[in-house]
Amino acid sequence: MTSTVPVVGTRTAEGSALQAVLLDMDGTLVDTEGFWWETEVEVFAKLGHALDDSWRHVVVGGPMTRSAGFLLEATGADITLPELTVLLNDGFEDRISRSLPLMPGAARLLAELAAQDVPTALVSASHRRIIDRVLDSLGPQHFALTVAGDEVERTKPHPEPYLAAAAGLDADPWRCAVVEDTATGVASAEAAGCRVVAVPSVSPIAPAGGRTVVSSLEDVDLTFLRGLVQFPIG
């Protein structure tokens, strides 16, 4: 699956404003935000540097280049960004090969969207190699489209990933419901013009216009998502 092949015939039934559901991956569908931090701590420990726990809130939800770049600058580690990226992806892939817990409510929501033929996309800042491994657990059949962070020119918090997903599903962004767990992902979706449900994982997210905050994915179902998409934003 790639972010560039449009899917035809994906609009929902006439009379429903919701045309598509776009889902973040790490921390939203799979409980992996902690895995990323553990991997970063382990990799930098091997490089002779201890990470400050307060940095976790800086790097969560961001693209690999931003998160790894911040940690490089903060620690002064003697390694290039491309080399560090490989080590982080390798370490994370090893962790998810041993355990990949889904977030509460994720399997139910995916099953409901599939049963109701709702066009659904996975939109992640993670690289394609990681997404493909996670899809083995989530079920690739649940997604008409997947967008990886290394397949777009500008990843989250830029709106490009969500704009690409909406276009690939032949949907209007304002008629898409997005589920995200970080401020970075929320900013990306809102900049694209989507309605957003925030399910905070590591850092709190405040409610705002066009944004609903819930405590768990178990609070989200198709009726809830359809209720969000009623009128154009702005």
Side-chain angles (χ1 to χ4, degrees):
M1 298 182 187
T2 70
S3 64
T4 56
V5 180
V7 178
V8 296
T10 56
R11 291 188 183 274
T12 55
E14 188 175 354
S16 172
L18 180 69
Q19 290 182 333
V21 174
L22 315 178
L23 301 165
D24 174 55
M25 188 177 76
D26 293 300
T28 299
L29 293 178
V30 288
D31 191 7
T32 51
E33 291 292 9
F35 285 10
W36 278 114
W37 179 246
E38 291 166 8
T39 299
E40 289 158 349
V41 168
E42 181 179 279
V43 167
F44 276 91
K46 291 178 179 178
L47 295 171
H49 297 273
L51 300 187
D52 191 309
D53 195 60
S54 66
W55 296 343
R56 181 177 182 179
H57 298 282
V58 179
V59 300
V60 66
M64 175 73 73
T65 52
R66 191 199 74 182
S67 300
F70 169 83
L71 294 174
L72 275 178
E73 183 174 351
T75 62
D78 185 18
I79 188 173
T80 67
L81 182 58
E83 291 171 336
L84 178 59
T85 297
V86 170
L87 292 179
L88 292 174
N89 275 323
D90 285 348
F92 183 79
E93 194 167 354
D94 177 65
R95 269 180 165 75
I96 62 175
S97 69
R98 290 180 270 134
S99 173
L100 185 57
L102 270 60
M103 297 297 288
R108 174 201 49 78
L109 178 60
L110 290 174
E112 182 182 11
L113 295 175
Q116 297 298 318
D117 295 321
V118 178
T120 303
L122 187 67
V123 185
S124 177
S126 290
H127 290 186
R128 170 57 55 186
R129 61 178 285 195
I130 300 299
I131 287 181
D132 286 346
R133 289 296 300 272
V134 173
L135 282 173
D136 291 339
S137 295
L138 288 176
Q141 73 276 8
H142 289 119
F143 305 98
L145 187 70
T146 62
V147 179
D150 56 340
E151 293 174 343
V152 292
E153 183 176 346
R154 295 157 297 189
T155 190
K156 303 174 187 180
H158 195 276
E160 182 178 347
Y162 282 109
L163 290 174
L169 294 177
D170 191 28
D172 299 318
W174 74 268
R175 294 179 70 177
C176 294
V178 170
V179 185
E180 272 280 359
D181 73 303
T182 67
T184 299
V186 167
S188 173
E190 290 181 343
C194 304
R195 297 285 187 177
V196 179
V197 181
V199 190
S201 60
V202 176
S203 300
I205 299 173
R211 177 198 312 167
T212 302
V213 180
V214 298
S215 60
S216 168
L217 205 58
E218 293 184 314
D219 298 326
V220 180
D221 59 15
L222 182 53
T223 299
F224 179 90
L225 295 173
R226 282 177 170 156
L228 299 177
V229 183
Q230 299 174 9
F231 304 102
I233 297 173

